Amino acid sequence: MKPLLKKLLAPPRIEYLTLNQDLIILDTSFGVGRFADSEAGRDSVLLPSEVRAGTDVRAGFPELIGVEDILKAVLQGRRANFELKGIARFSDPSSPLYIDLYATADRDEETPEPKLVVFFEDVTEMMVLKQSLVQRANEASLLLSALASSKDYIDKIIHSMADALLVTAISGHIKTVNQATQELFGYREEELIGQPVSMLVADQQFLRRSSQRLGFLSEAALLKDVEVVCHRKTGEKITVAFSCSAIQTEIKGLQDLVYIGRDISDRKRAEAEIRKALEKEKELNELKSSFVSMASHEFRNPLTTILTAAALLKEEYSRRQTLDKDTQLYLQMIQTSVKQMTDLLEDVLVIGEAETGKLQFHPEPIDLAQFCRDLVLEMEMAQKRRPTGTASGQAITFVCQQECIKACMDEKLLRQIFTNLLSNAVKYSPQGNPVRFELTCENGEATFEIQDRGIGIPPEDQKRLFETFYRAKNARKLPGTGLGLAIVKKAVELHGGRIAVSSEAGAGTTFRVTIPIERGRQTNDGDVIS
C-alpha cells in the first residue's frame, strides 16, 4: 500500500471538543470519545463513551477537575493556553493510550461569548518509543555500571596478585603490567608500557614459542611453568617460571598474549645446593663404603689369625692332656669373641652394601619348609654350644602345615632375615619360653611369623625399629648393635616383600614377613629372568 493511502486510512491522531464557560460540551469531533477515561464515569449517569454536546466534559476527562480556574482564565484571555502532556489510558493493559491535551480560547466575532476549544492528540507511539528509549538508556547505564564494576574488580585482582602479570600485543610490546611485575623487575609502569617484552625476557626461543600460541585459544595451547632467565633493571639475572596463553581482545580476530610469572631464583639456588649436598653425601657414602670394606677385610685377617691360634692351642693342650677347665674356658671365650666380631663385621658389610645399592640378590629354587627346619636346627645347636645357652633344644618351635613348598628366593638373604629375627626372639625371651616360628603359603605368597613372649617393644620405639643402629629403650642393657633389623628390612625389600611388627611391652613381639613365592631369577648383571 502506498504511504499516502496509509496516512489517509490511518485513524486520526487529533480530536477536539468545544466548551462554554461552565465546561459544558458545545461541539465535538467524531472520534473524541476514544480519548475519554472509561473508568471515570462508571458511577455517574453519563457514560464516558457518550461524550457529546450538552454534557459536562469532566465526566469523561477527569484530568480537568481541579483546573477549572485555569480554564476560565484561558477563556477570559488572562492566560494564553493550558496543556497537559502524557495523559495515560489503560483500559487494555496490552494496548496503552497516551494523549496530550491542549486548551485555548476561540473568540468568534459572530458569537458574543468566547468558547474554549480543547484539542486531544494521540501520542501513544511517541510515548512508547520514549519509554523504550528511557528503558534502554537505563539498561545501558546499568550495563556500563556493571562493566565498570567488573573492570574495577578484575583490576584489583590483577594488582593484588603475588605473581607477575604482563599482557603484550601481537607485536610483543607490553600493554599491561601489575604491581608484582614492577616490584619483580624494578621498573615503573610507565617505563614498561609500550616496550618490547624482550627487555625483560632474554630467552628468544621462549618468546617465539609463546607467539605461536596466537590462534590457539585452547587449554592445550597453554605454556605452563617454563623456566626462563630474565633481567631486572639493575642487570641482575633471575629465573622466572612463566605460563603463557593467547586471549581474545575486544577486536574480533585480534589476540594478545598473557604472561604469568613467578620468581623461582631462590628455589633454583636451593635445588642447586641440595644437588651439591647430595653429590657430597654420595661421595661420602662411597668413601664410607670403601673404608668399611677395607677395614672389615683388615680386621678379618687378624681375627682369623686369633681364631686359628686359639684352635691350635686347644689342640696342643688336648694332645698334651694338660687342658684344664680354666684354660678350656679361656680358649672358648676367645673363639666366641672372635665369632662375635666376625658376625659384626659381616653385618657392617651388608649394611654398607645395602646403603650403596650393591647388596646382591640372587634368587634360586628353594624348599622353604626344609630351609626353615635346617635353620632352626642350626640355631638350636649353636644355642647348646654357648656356655650361657639354653639347655633344651625346644627353644624354637617350627610349625608348617605343608611340605615341599617350592619358591624362588635368595637363600643367603633369607638366612640373614630369619637368623636375625629368631636370634632376637630367643635373646629377648625369658629362658624356658619357646619361640614360635610358623610358615604358611597362600595366594602366591609365603608368610613367615616369628612370635615370642619376651620383653616386647614400647610403642614409641616401633616407628624407628628398622633404622640403622637404633635400639629400643628396654633392650639397651642387653648386647646388640642395632644393625640386625635394618638388614632384615633391606633383605625383605630386595625380595619385593613386606614386614610388619605387632608388640606390647612386657607381653612379647610378633614379626610377620610376607614374600612373593616367585620373584624371578637375576643374572649377574642385575637383570631379572622370569
Side-chain angles (χ1 to χ4, degrees), residues 226-250:
V226 181
E227 296 181 5
V228 180
V229 176
C230 298
H231 296 284
R232 283 182 169 152
K233 186 177 181 179
T234 58
E236 177 189 358
K237 290 184 178 181
I238 58 174
T239 304
V240 180
F242 270 114
S243 296
C244 173
S245 182
I247 59 169
Q248 181 66 55
T249 65
E250 64 275 7

Side-chain angles (χ1 to χ4, degrees), residues 36-49:
D37 188 352
S38 61
E39 300 291 329
R42 179 171 294 175
D43 298 328
S44 64
V45 176
L46 180 66
L47 295 175
S49 60

Side-chain angles (χ1 to χ4, degrees), residues 270-311:
E271 288 176 354
E273 291 176 1
I274 291 173
R275 283 195 297 270
K276 186 176 179 180
L278 289 175
E279 289 294 329
K280 187 68 175 177
E281 183 180 1
K282 182 179 178 182
E283 183 181 346
L284 289 174
N285 283 336
E286 290 177 352
L287 183 62
K288 181 183 72 174
S289 178
S290 299
F291 173 77
V292 168
S293 178
M294 178 190 67
S296 298
H297 286 295
E298 291 300 321
F299 278 120
R300 197 184 298 271
N301 290 332
L303 287 174
T304 302
T305 303
I306 294 171
L307 190 61
T308 303

Side-chain angles (χ1 to χ4, degrees), residues 448-502:
F448 305 83
E449 191 169 280
I450 295 94
Q451 181 180 21
D452 66 58
R453 300 176 185 174
I455 61 176
I457 305 168
E460 61 272 17
D461 289 322
Q462 293 180 22
K463 295 179 180 180
R464 302 184 58 190
L465 201 57
F466 299 101
E467 293 181 14
T468 306
F469 300 113
Y470 184 81
R471 303 190 71 202
K473 293 190 297 292
N474 59 346
R476 292 171 185 171
K477 294 182 179 179
L478 296 172
T481 61
L483 294 176
L485 290 181
I487 293 173
V488 168
K489 185 104 167 32
K490 297 290 185 182
V492 171
E493 289 174 348
L494 278 177
H495 279 87
R498 55 192 184 275
I499 183 170
V501 59
S502 59

